[in-house]
C-alpha cells in the first residue's frame, strides 16, 4: 500500500495540528510553529516555489518562511 503525496501532506498537517494542540495546553511551552502547516500545504500544492513566493502566498515576511 502506497501513500500519495496529497495523503502524506494531509497526514503531516494533521500531525502538526495535534502537536500544536498539545503544546497549547502547556502553559510554560510557547507554541511557535502555528504557520508551519500552512507552509507545508503550500509546498504540497505549489512545488518549486521560491521563499519569496511562499511568503507572498502565506502573507508573511520572507524571513519568517525560513
Amino acid at each position: 500500500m502506497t501513500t500519495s503525496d496529497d495523503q502524506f501532506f494531509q497526514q503531516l498537517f494533521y500531525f502538526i495540528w495535534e502537536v500544536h494542540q498539545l503544546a497549547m495546553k502547556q502553559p510554560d511551552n510557547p507554541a511557535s510553529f502555528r504557520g508551519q502547516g500552512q507552509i507545508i500545504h503550500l509546498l504540497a500544492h505549489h512545488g518549486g516555489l521560491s521563499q519569496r513566493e511562499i511568503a507572498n502566498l502565506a502573507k508573511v515576511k520572507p524571513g519568517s518562511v525560513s
Side-chain angles (χ1 to χ4, degrees), residues 5-21:
D5 287 345
D6 284 342
Q7 290 170 326
F8 172 77
F9 283 109
Q10 286 174 350
Q11 291 171 353
L12 183 60
F13 178 80
Y14 181 71
F15 172 75
I16 291 171
W17 179 82
E18 284 186 336
V19 170
H20 175 70
Q21 294 302 312

Side-chain angles (χ1 to χ4, degrees), residues 1-58:
M1 179 176 173
T2 62
T3 303
S4 72
D5 287 345
D6 284 342
Q7 290 170 326
F8 172 77
F9 283 109
Q10 286 174 350
Q11 291 171 353
L12 183 60
F13 178 80
Y14 181 71
F15 172 75
I16 291 171
W17 179 82
E18 284 186 336
V19 170
H20 175 70
Q21 294 302 312
L22 289 172
M24 293 302 289
K25 293 178 182 178
Q26 304 297 322
D28 60 342
N29 185 12
S32 62
F33 47 83
R34 288 176 284 189
Q36 288 181 355
Q38 181 183 13
I39 301 301
I40 290 169
H41 178 77
L42 288 171
L43 291 172
H45 289 77
H46 306 280
L49 294 174
S50 70
Q51 183 174 338
R52 183 170 305 280
E53 291 168 325
I54 293 168
N56 287 337
L57 288 172

